[in-house]
Amino acid sequence: MGVERIDTRLLEELIEQSQDLNSDAVRITHEALGDFAEATGDRSRRNWWRRGSAVAGAAGAAVALSAVRAVAATSSDDVMALQTAASIENLAISVYRTAAGLPFVKNGNKTVATFIARTTAQHEAHAKAFNAAATQAGGTAQNAPDPKYVAVVKAALPGIKTPADVVKLAITLEDVAAQTYTKNVGQVSSAQLRRLFASVAPVEAQHRTTLLSVQALLAGNMADLIAIPTDAAKLPADLGSAGIPDTFYPTKDASPITEGAVK
């Protein structure tokens, strides 16, 4: 990886922390999708997401009534929001897969390759969750990438020559994902869908935080400080704000719900 050496101990720690957060998010996501499927009366999809676990039943009339209410509460905006989220995930998957095939990643540090692989798997799970909810709500799964940011990626890919270039592009995608899902929490019409978006947004925000911190150290020619343990006295004073620049996660650059909707 040339002069931009990345200490494997940091990446191993970040992988573990990312997996822990994602495991919690996946559990919440599964619960939200299970509840959403139960409310809309789709027993097969409910059981698929809950992996056969027992679900407390209700009287037939009550179940039918809850299903009618859930269907009525699921709007076309909900479907488009879910499809747009899936399109963002599809693009992230494509970018990370492309990064994994780059010579300085594929033939370089194995821990870097593992980090990319784990992050790709997380985005694959998120895309699957958003598409499952979209089809459950009566829509169509979105298997295409986000049309706005696919242009950004195409413009950036020819200029990717170093790990820092990969980090920069990944930050853009992780940020738009986190901002979009954070805003979606207040846009969708059911508690289950709000839980779905709220469970995925912090995972994307954590990806961005990690990438911003690594970017700052690489830009400052301090790759040797990317280590666990590290020499805290040598860390730049503004590293914390570089990794977490916002007290509250912004949404000004969130993608509109129509951006990646199936046409």
Side-chain angles (χ1 to χ4, degrees), residues 56-104:
V63 172
L65 179 60
S66 67
V68 171
R69 287 175 176 168
V71 172
T74 303
S75 68
S76 60
D77 282 355
D78 290 338
V79 173
M80 289 191 292
L82 291 163
Q83 291 170 336
T84 294
S87 75
I88 293 172
E89 295 297 327
N90 293 338
L91 183 57
I93 293 166
S94 176
V95 169
Y96 280 112
R97 285 178 177 170
T98 298
L102 294 173
F104 57 80

Side-chain angles (χ1 to χ4, degrees), residues 205-252:
Q206 188 212 39
H207 291 165
R208 174 180 177 250
T209 290
T210 300
L211 292 166
L212 284 172
S213 298
V214 172
Q215 181 185 59
L217 291 175
L218 290 176
N221 294 317
M222 294 177 284
D224 288 342
L225 293 179
I226 305 175
I228 299 293
T230 192
D231 188 344
K234 293 182 179 180
L235 290 174
D238 60 351
L239 184 62
S241 59
I244 308 176
D246 307 294
T247 303
F248 297 98
Y249 213 90
T251 59
K252 64 182 180 64

